[in-house]
Amino acid sequence: MALLSGLLFGVGLTLGGMTQPKVVLGFLNVFGHWNPRLVLVMGGAVLTTAIGYRWVGKKRKPLLAEAFHWPTRKDIEWRLLGGAALFGMGWGMAGYCPGPALVSIGGGQPDLWAFVVAMAGGWWLAAQWSGSTDVRREREEQHDE
């Protein structure tokens, strides 16, 4: 199922233009030559997810797991806001976010490889910096289940 999901995700990102930094940067350039194409891609993703969550939420348990793991936190805190800001800055500077970057890596572009290595380094630094905060605690709780 993971292979099928990943394949579907990769094809969707590619067909939607999310793997093309020029398209992404055109979408983010609302004060210049704005390209609204990704509004439809994101709108389709939100609609599909909303329908999927409503349908899956009515099930007693997932098809391929013992239980659902729904998010429990509902607060907005500084780490969420800071992470979102850093994510947005990286997306705006490079034209890639993690999913499209990994999908595009097969193209062998050296700058993309540098981006993915730097992204992995950022994940590692964030994990080290977060120490024993909620992120690590949640991982440990999931591992114990």
Side-chain angles (χ1 to χ4, degrees):
M1 190 54 78
L3 180 64
L4 179 61
S5 297
L7 183 63
L8 185 63
F9 183 67
V11 169
L13 288 175
T14 303
L15 292 176
M18 296 278 302
T19 58
Q20 300 171 33
K22 182 179 177 182
V23 172
V24 173
L25 294 173
F27 170 70
L28 296 174
N29 186 9
V30 294
F31 299 111
H33 298 289
W34 186 58
N35 179 354
R37 174 180 178 178
L38 295 185
V39 170
L40 296 174
V41 173
M42 291 182 187
V46 169
L47 180 63
T48 303
T49 300
I51 292 168
Y53 266 84
R54 288 192 62 90
W55 179 66
V56 168
K58 294 177 181 178
K59 306 285 182 195
R60 285 186 289 148
K61 71 177 212 130
L63 183 62
L64 300 174
E66 293 300 316
F68 286 109
H69 299 282
W70 300 109
T72 57
R73 291 194 63 168
K74 296 183 186 208
D75 59 325
I76 296 176
E77 44 131 13
W78 73 269
R79 283 185 25 216
L80 173 63
L81 297 174
L86 289 171
F87 178 89
M89 286 188 280
W91 194 27
M93 290 187 318
Y96 283 111
C97 62
L102 293 174
V103 168
S104 301
I105 205 162
Q109 299 170 354
D111 58 333
L112 184 56
W113 280 95
F115 175 82
V116 170
V117 168
M119 183 175 63
W123 282 331
W124 182 83
L125 283 173
Q128 301 309 306
W129 179 67
S130 64
S132 63
T133 59
D134 294 338
V135 174
R136 184 163 290 170
R137 197 172 314 125
E138 286 173 10
R139 276 193 227 133
E140 289 170 357
E141 288 172 3
Q142 287 176 354
H143 181 62
D144 291 341
E145 291 177 357

